[in-house]
Amino acid sequence: MQEDFKREVAQMAGEQGIMVDPCSMFDCQVKRIHEYKRQHLNVLHIITLYNRIKADPDMDMTPHSFIFGGKAAPGYFMAKLIIKLTNSVADVVNNDPDMNHRLKIFFLSDYNVKTGHIVYPMTDLSEQISLAGKEASGTGNMKFSMNGALTIGTLDGANIEILEEVGEENFFLFGLTVEEVMDLKAVGYDPMSYYLNNGELRQALDSISSGLFSNGDRELFRPLVDSLLHHDEYMLLADYESYIQCQDRVSRAYMDRDRNRMSILHVARIGKFSSDRSIGEYCDRIWNVKSQPVKLKWARVPDEGLVFRRSK
Ligand SMILES: *Cc1c(COP(=O)(O)O)cnc(C)c1O
């Protein structure tokens, strides 16, 4: 079943000239593009893998396909620049023969509920990497878990409840906690110190600044890199090392059978996030209404096939 969805997306990528292997690990981040959701932290990880392979072309690595999807608000310049960066990195990485099918990037255009039906069940790894304290809940995280994807995530929004349900040993947790974020901001957060102290991070940011992903244009991504080095409101640089180490753990787990066990446990333990439970609680605790049985019957609807319809 999952393989069918993977093949469907691989075909969509193929139509754009990107050869995605359905047997590779599908690492997906689909959601509105926003700095707090940190799609660019994901991109920094991809650039890090790219740099590692360039330095050691024979290295052993789980083949990864990174799938992105999501829209930017029309006036949100930085979000659009993040999309541009993702596609620019994709152009270089996807066409570099040294990658030898170990690394592919595909930005799914026009991500919506319809394509969501393909993305959630096909995913091996769900990216829920917002800065702790920023995501009210998130619902994509639940959809992925229900469909058996593993999660890499921070202690933010409903990730916390998912972790409680599936167990710490089945959740790839990284990053600062809300308290640590507040403490660090209180004493004066200095992103530059992380840049200076982590070689892989420095190399990743420098490769963007150098124009490697923009045909030598050193200005295109300057607003993004400058924002990270001098303000970094969403603390990507502080969480980078922990994120990369966690991604390395994911890769190792994916190579052995752990992942099947984890995936099954996710599906088995995620029942709490059923909309029936949630709406039931609203009825009891907030709306004070009783449930009404509704008779449903199968109906054949043009273009939708066989679906449940309320009977008249
Ligand atoms: C679930 C869903 C979202 C919300 O995703 P988050 O990861 O919770 O931000 C956004 N867009 C579509 C199409 C969805 O299906």
Side-chain angles (χ1 to χ4, degrees), residues 20 38 47 50 71 87 126 148 162 165 180-182 187 190 200 202 205 212 218 221 257 260 267-268 283 290 302 304:
V20 168
R38 304 199 294 191
I47 296 174
Y50 176 78
K71 293 163 186 176
N87 281 313
S126 150
I162 292 175
E165 294 299 306
E180 288 165 344
V181 167
M182 289 192 304
V187 299
D190 175 25
E200 284 197 312
R202 196 163 57 246
L205 286 168
L212 178 62
R218 301 167 66 97
F221 297 119
R257 280 172 207 275
N260 294 328
V267 178
C283 291
K290 289 256 175 304
E304 288 181 49

Side-chain angles (χ1 to χ4, degrees), residues 30-31 37 111-113 120 128 135 138-141 143:
V30 290
K31 48 183 77 244
K37 290 177 179 285
Y111 178 66
N112 57 31
V113 171
Y120 293 107
Q128 306 301 335
E135 190 77 81
T139 54
N141 46 6
K143 287 180 265 180

Side-chain angles (χ1 to χ4, degrees), residues 66-296:
F66 291 92
I67 317 289
F68 290 84
K71 293 163 186 176
Y76 190 173
F77 170 78
M78 210 60 106
K80 291 187 167 184
L81 199 53
I82 291 172
I83 297 177
K84 177 69 181 164
L85 175 67
T86 311
N87 281 313
S88 302
V89 172
D91 280 344
V92 170
V93 171
N94 291 340
N95 296 307
D96 187 325
D98 284 351
M99 295 303 111
N100 196 14
H101 308 294
R102 281 169 290 186
L103 212 50
K104 293 286 175 181
I105 307 162
F106 176 46
F107 202 114
L108 199 61
S109 54
D110 193 28
Y111 178 66
N112 57 31
V113 171
K114 195 159 190 166
T115 42
H117 283 151
I118 304 168
V119 170
Y120 293 107
M122 80 175 179
T123 295
D124 295 303
L125 183 68
S126 150
E127 297 273 350
Q128 306 301 335
I129 60 177
S130 51
L131 175 65
K134 293 294 170 188
E135 190 77 81
S137 158
T139 54
N141 46 6
M142 306 171 193
K143 287 180 265 180
F144 278 117
S145 259
M146 280 177 193
N147 283 281
L150 304 183
T151 305
I152 184 167
T154 48
L155 280 175
D156 197 22
N159 291 353
I160 298 168
E161 291 156 277
I162 292 175
L163 186 149
E164 278 169 12
E165 294 299 306
V166 304
E168 228 168 285
E169 67 284 7
N170 299 306
F171 192 102
F172 293 96
L173 179 67
F174 76 95
L176 298 169
T177 63
V178 174
E179 291 72 29
E180 288 165 344
V181 167
M182 289 192 304
D183 290 349
L184 198 49
K185 290 212 165 167
V187 299
Y189 170 54
D190 175 25
M192 188 62 84
S193 66
Y194 294 87
Y195 169 82
L196 294 173
N197 284 313
N198 186 309
E200 284 197 312
L201 172 60
R202 196 163 57 246
Q203 197 189 358
L205 286 168
D206 287 353
S207 60
I208 300 172
S209 307
S210 73
L212 178 62
F213 304 111
S214 42
N215 297 310
D217 182 346
R218 301 167 66 97
E219 295 306 312
L220 182 60
F221 297 119
R222 190 188 290 277
L224 198 55
V225 175
D226 279 353
S227 158
L228 290 176
L229 288 177
H230 303 297
H231 309 286
D232 195 16
E233 187 180 350
Y234 301 105
M235 301 174 116
L236 281 77
L237 273 50
D239 273 348
Y240 170 86
E241 187 169 317
S242 159
Y243 180 55
I244 298 295
Q245 286 171 357
C246 195
Q247 282 283 10
D248 291 342
R249 288 205 302 281
V250 172
S251 286
R252 286 194 296 274
Y254 195 79
M255 290 228 225
D256 56 47
R257 280 172 207 275
D258 282 5
R259 64 170 162 131
N260 294 328
R261 186 186 147 76
M262 285 188 193
S263 173
I264 290 166
L265 287 174
H266 263 254
V267 178
R269 294 176 174 172
I270 208 73
K272 177 179 170 185
F273 298 93
S274 143
S275 50
D276 289 347
R277 195 273 309 157
S278 168
I279 301 296
E281 273 181 24
Y282 272 99
C283 291
D284 287 347
R285 294 197 201 165
I286 294 166
W287 300 327
N288 268 317
V289 292
K290 289 256 175 304
S291 61
Q292 275 290 320
V294 174
K295 280 216 176 70
L296 298 173

